[in-house]
Every structure is written in C-alpha cells, then in structure tokens.
Amino acid sequence: MQCPICSADAGTTPHLTVGEHEYVSCNACGAVRLDPFPQPEDAAQLYGDDYFTAAAYGGYADYPADAAIHRRNGRARLRKLGPVPKPGAVLVDVGCAHGFTLQEAAAAGWTPMGVDVNAAARCAVEAA
C-alpha cells in the first residue's frame, strides 16, 4: 500500500500490534498508521468511547485525566516540526482525540485543525 501521507511505496516498519491491526511507519516519511488501514466502521468501533476511558484495544484508562501528559507530548511533537513556517500556518492533526496537541499548536502560533473518528473526542475539540 502506498503511504496515504507521502504516496511513497517504500515499505513500512512495524511498531505495535493492537488486535487485528499493526501500527507501522512509512520508511520514506515516517508517518505512522494502522495496517491494514481500517474501514470507517471498523475505525469507529476500534476508537469508540471505551478506547479513551476503559483501556479497550490498548487504549487509555482515562485519557482526559492525563491532559497534562498529552499536552507535554504535543509540545514535544511540535518542537520536532520547528518554528511555525509563517503566521497562521495550518497544522492538521488526524486522530486528534480530545485536542490537547491542537491547543498547544494554537498557543505556538499554528492555525490548528483536527479530525477524529470518535464523536466524544470531536465534541471535546469543538468545545476547547
């Protein structure tokens, strides 16, 4: 499968297996994704509310309660991107969960946009 981010067909490196899926990174650009790439209905089930509150499918016991950790991790990821290329540059977070990284991106000068398959996570982002 070509990388959905950079379109390269450079192969992948496995990182973690969760159920029937494996997290792999693209050998060309480093983007991480699930393999096989889930169908929308499968993603909705995999990343349901239990993923964020009951550690289902290798998820989190209480994702919102760990906001400080997620914000710190978000800041670390943003530092890897370097300075904002120009004022208002857009940063898109696919799988943004509750939007903690998006909030850090806004504070750093990015115009953040996020998407998530989980409705509760999307509502948390919209409320932030």
Side-chain angles (χ1 to χ4, degrees):
M1 173 179 176
Q2 286 185 325
C3 175
I5 303 300
C6 73
S7 300
D9 193 10
T12 59
T13 300
H15 292 282
L16 172 71
T17 301
V18 179
E20 300 172 6
H21 299 278
E22 184 168 41
Y23 284 91
V24 298
S25 62
C26 171
N27 290 335
C29 72
V32 177
R33 64 175 169 83
L34 284 176
D35 186 38
F37 205 73
Q39 295 298 312
E41 58 275 4
D42 296 333
Q45 182 178 1
L46 183 62
Y47 296 106
D49 293 342
D50 285 351
Y51 180 80
F52 294 102
T53 59
Y57 307 108
Y60 301 90
D62 191 347
Y63 189 90
D66 292 333
I69 295 168
H70 301 304
R71 288 180 190 284
R72 183 192 68 217
N73 291 341
R75 288 189 301 272
R77 290 183 187 105
L78 291 167
R79 279 193 300 274
K80 289 181 180 181
L81 295 177
V84 178
K86 62 181 180 176
V90 176
L91 181 130
V92 179
D93 185 354
V94 178
C96 65
H98 288 74
F100 300 124
T101 297
L102 294 174
Q103 292 166 3
E104 295 300 322
W110 293 92
T111 297
M113 295 183 174
V115 295
D116 201 284
V117 69
N118 181 281
R122 285 193 307 271
C123 289
V125 170
E126 292 167 3

